[in-house]
């Protein structure tokens, strides 16, 4: 009688999953592990071609557009925060050593007095693209003029205020001059812009109004 009661209280055994399902799951787990290792190895071995420098991490929301574009276009890049006024020695050291590290283009973002792009350009032979950041009572116009008004011999290619994405596009174009694979990807990107406009026009034709001709 006691055995009968115990049998009633016992939970039914959990059915074992078919062997084939366990094998498939193990294979998937192995593939995921390999993929993570490959990604980690790739990140450790990639050589940055573009260096993005910000005067402050407060510029990050603007500069993320440049990072996103470079990431989508498979252009390796690095990101650092350096201040021309607060860390002048570090800025000079970075600028002088960038070329030897394999950097091809420098994107420097700064607001207000915006000395960073010019200071970097003065200490490197690499092309420097300046991004004026909107962050003062003058809405970035002060930074724009500061970066634009460089003396002869120390040019900084300046994009629009908060124009981080155009800075990244320009950097890609510069690299594409000597890299055929990057040039092909950039041509594909330009073609995609044309397709977007063509689609937009097609959508506009579908709008229905009584007097739309």
């Amino acid at each position: 009688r006691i055995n009968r009661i115990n049998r009633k209280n016992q939970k039914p055994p959990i059915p074992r999953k078919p062997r084939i399902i366990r094998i498939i799951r193990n294979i998937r787990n192995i593939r995921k592990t390999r993929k993570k290792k490959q990604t980690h190895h790739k990140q450790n071995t990639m050589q940055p071609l573009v260096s993005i420098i910000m005067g402050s991490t407060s510029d990050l929301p603007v500069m993320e557009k440049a990072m996103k574009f470079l990431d989508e276009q498979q252009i390796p890049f690095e990101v650092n925060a350096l201040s021309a006024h607060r860390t002048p020695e570090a800025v000079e050291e970075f600028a002088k050593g960038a070329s030897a590290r394999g950097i091809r283009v420098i994107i420097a973002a700064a607001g207000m007095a915006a000395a960073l792009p010019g200071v970097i350009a003065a200490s490197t032979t690499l092309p420097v693209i300046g991004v004026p950041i909107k962050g003062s009572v003058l809405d970035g116009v002060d930074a724009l003029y500061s970066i634009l008004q460089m003396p002869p011999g120390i040019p900084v290619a300046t994009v629009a205020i908060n124009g981080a994405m155009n800075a990244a596009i320009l950097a890609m174009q510069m690299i594409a001059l000597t890299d055929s694979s990057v040039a092909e990807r950039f041509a594909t990107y330009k073609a995609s812009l044309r397709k977007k406009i063509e689609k937009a026009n097609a959508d506009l034709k579908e709008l229905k109004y009584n007097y739309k001709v």
Side-chain angles (χ1 to χ4, degrees):
R1 187 176 179 183
I2 294 173
N3 289 336
R4 288 178 184 175
I5 294 172
N6 290 338
R7 286 173 188 170
K8 288 181 181 179
N9 293 333
Q10 285 179 354
K11 294 181 180 179
I14 298 173
R16 294 187 67 184
K17 294 176 181 177
R19 187 167 180 268
I20 185 66
I21 293 178
R22 296 200 306 273
I23 292 173
I24 291 172
R25 288 192 173 179
N26 288 338
I27 292 172
R28 286 177 179 173
N29 290 334
I30 291 170
R31 285 177 178 173
K32 286 180 181 179
T33 303
R34 284 179 179 173
K35 190 174 181 180
K36 286 180 181 178
K37 288 181 178 178
Q38 288 171 354
T39 302
H40 180 70
H41 177 72
K42 188 176 180 181
Q43 288 174 343
N44 288 339
T45 57
M46 277 196 301
Q47 173 66 44
L49 300 178
V50 179
S51 185
I52 298 176
I53 306 296
M54 294 172 283
S56 170
T57 52
S58 62
D59 302 332
L60 185 58
V62 173
M63 298 311 295
E64 278 182 338
K65 294 179 181 179
M67 299 174 203
K68 183 179 179 182
F69 177 82
L70 293 174
D71 201 58
E72 290 173 348
Q73 298 301 324
Q74 303 172 34
I75 306 294
F77 64 94
E78 64 178 16
V79 185
N80 290 291
L82 294 170
S83 171
H85 300 110
R86 293 184 287 268
T87 58
E89 295 86 0
V91 171
E92 185 177 5
E93 182 182 357
F94 158 78
K96 289 182 176 179
S99 180
R101 293 191 298 108
I103 299 298
R104 304 275 293 280
V105 185
I106 297 173
I107 298 175
M112 294 186 287
L116 183 61
V119 170
I120 291 175
S123 299
T124 184
T125 56
L126 295 174
V128 178
I129 304 171
V131 182
I133 300 295
K134 180 180 179 180
S136 69
V137 293
L138 296 179
D139 288 334
V141 175
D142 48 352
L144 175 65
Y145 287 160
S146 294
I147 300 173
L148 278 173
Q149 300 293 347
M150 292 299 296
I154 315 292
V156 173
T158 311
V159 296
I161 297 170
N162 285 4
M165 184 168 177
N166 268 356
I169 292 171
L170 188 56
M172 185 177 185
Q173 285 180 286
M174 291 176 178
I175 295 170
L177 292 173
T178 55
D179 190 320
S180 59
S181 62
V182 174
E184 288 177 9
R185 293 200 298 274
F186 186 73
T188 301
Y189 168 73
K190 293 284 280 189
S192 71
L193 297 179
R194 182 175 64 251
K195 290 178 181 178
K196 284 181 181 179
I197 296 300
E198 291 172 352
K199 183 181 183 304
N201 278 322
D203 292 341
L204 289 173
K205 288 179 182 179
E206 297 301 318
L207 293 177
K208 303 297 181 182
Y209 290 94
N210 292 333
Y211 288 87
K212 178 178 175 288
V213 296

